Amino acid sequence: MPKQLAAFFQRLSGSVRAFSAAQKTIAILAIAVLALGAVFLGTWLSTPQYTPLFTGLAAADASAVVDQLNSDGVKYQLTDGGATVLVPQDKVYDERLKAASAGLPSSSTNGYALLDKMGVTSSEFQQDVMYKQAMEEELAKTIQAMNGVQTASVKLAIPKETVFTSQAADPTASVFIKTDAGATLSSDQVDAIVHLTSASIENMKPVDVTVVDSSGQTLSAQGAAAAGSSDKLTSAYEAKTTAAIQAMLDRIVGPGNSTVAVSANLSDATSQRVSETFQTPKDSPVLSETSQTETYTGTGSAAAGVLGPDNIAVPNGTSGNGAYNAANGTKNNAIDKVTQTDNIPAGTVQRQTVSVAISNKALGNASPSSIQSLVEAAAGFDKTRGDVVTVAAVGFNTDQAKAAKAALDASTQAQKNAQTSNLLRDAIIAGVVVIVATLALIFFLRRGRQRREPVDLEILGPDDDELDAILAGHKLAIEQPVPMPVLEPTSTEVKRAEIATLAGRDPEKAAELLRGLMDERTS
């Protein structure tokens, strides 16, 4: 073994033997941790990276794919309840091509691919049914791509076309959702499913879509908004109105001197209103006019007579003096006809009530009537809807405010005490660390100083001739004489100076010579 390597192992063993019991325990634990880490790292590096081969597979397709992987001897993993097959990354493309050549997965031929199977002899009924099935499959696959949705099924009810538009019915859709384990669809996701389905079918409205989950809960009913959306809109409107009124009152009576409560009723379904109005414009033109006038004057039977059949005057009737006037007229004027169709969306305010309580001590010069007028303007008061706004000046109970202030003060004081304790603890820890570091530094300095102390040559024994021979054999020379007192130096002091010079030039050689000499004297 080379001398450098042997010296290194000798120093290492000496350092290990110098460890205390605690240091040896820590060293053993560190070596064990490093060994376990190396084992885990090697295991992780040797484990192949798995990549999805197919996702969202049906049970039959997953079984066929697994059989193919077993026949090829490829390792695999199943996740998502068997709907996802994972294989090593370097086998993905080969196995995918083999599965495609075998027609797997077969469920991939659903959707609009069903239209490729129609022949020229398909009837109109078969074409309609297959087209509807293709749309259902495509919508289901699109909905399954959403986060939290495991499987989805869509059923469409599309009415037959008719030439009578008044009898035409709107198409409807039913969506069944099965979520992942522990997942719950939010109202925004339900709205997205509803609008995605309605926008994919011609003449379908969002209110015509029903969404149901696997637990039997109706997330969106036909003719109504999604479950929870009405409450969400109501809460948002009440919070917005309350914040606007409260901000105004805080500027008038000061913060904490007023409270506002808003209760609103919002519609949860869309509606449509059609109204027609007729107006006659000023100086409107005449579209058609018919007029007839008859005037008879003088005496004789011409003026009056006996009426015969068909209201014809009979000649030689009773004669007499008289006058006859007749006038008939018909006039059709142009008029304005206005037909207005209003689509009323969900979330329209039907009625709201606003209650405001103000501290009578903070009311000051403001009157409740003026406050009520401001509140009505801020809340969008509409008397025709039946809105109600109530403002009252009352005495506020300050016990809770005092208790809250006391609790806040106590919390502040506790935080200050905690900060002081933390600072004191940190200072103590820092002081202990400094003391320990200082003691450790002193210990190592003393230990290094003891290692650098000169070797007492008296322990070598009285045989100085042998030491002289060893030093002379290595051709040692003292470059500068060691300053000595006026007294003549002894032989021991001279030998010590020579060994110091040797140690300065070649410390390892000097140490080896001294150890060998001590071993010989000891034996």
Side-chain angles (χ1 to χ4, degrees), residues 146-147 149 184-196 211 219-220 226-230 232-233:
M146 298 180 64
N147 293 332
V149 179
T184 303
L185 294 181
S186 63
S187 58
D188 293 336
Q189 288 179 307
V190 176
D191 289 339
I193 294 174
V194 169
H195 289 284
L196 174 66
V211 181
L219 304 179
S220 177
S229 61
S230 178
K232 184 178 179 180
L233 292 174

Side-chain angles (χ1 to χ4, degrees), residues 104-407:
L104 295 175
S106 60
S107 60
S108 62
T109 58
N110 293 337
Y112 287 119
L114 291 173
L115 301 179
D116 298 335
K117 299 180 180 180
M118 288 193 305
V120 294
T121 60
S122 299
S123 63
E124 183 179 358
F125 174 76
Q126 290 176 335
Q127 293 176 359
D128 293 341
V129 171
M130 195 163 291
Y131 177 67
K132 186 180 71 171
Q133 184 179 357
M135 289 192 297
E136 292 173 350
E137 292 290 342
E138 290 293 333
L139 286 173
K141 289 193 296 185
T142 305
I143 295 173
Q144 286 179 6
M146 298 180 64
N147 293 332
V149 179
Q150 182 177 356
T151 57
S153 176
V154 180
K155 301 299 179 184
L156 301 177
I158 301 177
K160 295 182 179 179
E161 296 182 358
T162 177
V163 295
F164 303 100
T165 56
S166 60
Q167 298 178 0
D170 295 332
T172 59
S174 300
V175 182
F176 174 81
I177 300 294
K178 182 180 180 181
T179 58
D180 295 334
T184 303
L185 294 181
S186 63
S187 58
D188 293 336
Q189 288 179 307
V190 176
D191 289 339
I193 294 174
V194 169
H195 289 284
L196 174 66
T197 306
S198 62
S200 302
I201 308 301
E202 185 180 0
N203 297 328
M204 181 179 290
K205 301 180 180 60
V207 294
D208 296 329
V209 180
T210 302
V211 181
V212 181
D213 63 2
S214 57
S215 62
Q217 182 181 0
T218 302
L219 304 179
S220 177
Q222 183 179 358
S229 61
S230 178
D231 296 337
K232 184 178 179 180
L233 292 174
T234 302
S235 300
Y237 176 80
E238 291 176 352
K240 179 181 178 181
T241 307
T242 301
I245 298 174
Q246 189 67 60
M248 180 188 65
L249 294 177
D250 289 344
R251 298 292 299 272
I252 298 175
V253 297
N257 294 319
S258 62
T259 179
V260 180
V262 177
S263 177
N265 295 330
L266 275 66
S267 62
D268 56 355
T270 59
S271 59
Q272 190 177 61
R273 180 175 58 193
V274 180
S275 59
E276 292 183 354
T277 57
F278 300 90
Q279 296 179 355
T280 302
K282 186 178 180 181
D283 299 332
S284 60
V286 178
L287 298 180
S288 62
E289 183 176 0
T290 301
S291 177
Q292 181 179 359
T293 304
E294 295 182 358
T295 303
Y296 298 94
T297 59
T299 61
S301 59
V306 180
L307 295 178
D310 299 329
N311 294 331
I312 299 175
V314 179
N316 300 326
T318 305
S319 59
N321 296 325
Y324 174 75
N325 296 324
N328 295 322
T330 301
K331 181 182 294 186
N332 295 324
N333 295 328
I335 59 175
D336 290 340
K337 178 183 178 181
V338 179
T339 302
Q340 182 177 358
T341 303
D342 297 329
N343 293 321
I344 303 174
T348 304
V349 179
Q350 297 177 341
R351 186 177 180 272
Q352 67 175 344
T353 59
V354 181
S355 301
V356 178
I358 302 176
S359 175
N360 49 15
K361 295 181 180 180
L363 190 59
N365 297 328
S367 62
S369 59
S370 61
I371 297 294
Q372 182 172 354
S373 300
L374 294 174
V375 171
E376 290 178 353
F381 178 78
D382 189 355
K383 188 176 181 180
T384 57
R385 284 190 315 217
D387 295 352
V388 177
V389 176
T390 304
V391 178
V394 296
F396 278 23
N397 187 356
T398 59
D399 294 341
Q400 187 175 1
K402 292 179 180 178
K405 185 178 182 302

Side-chain angles (χ1 to χ4, degrees), residues 420-437:
T420 304
S421 301
N422 293 335
L423 291 176
L424 182 60
R425 183 190 60 188
D426 295 341
I428 293 174
I429 294 174
V432 172
V433 171
V434 170
I435 293 173
V436 172

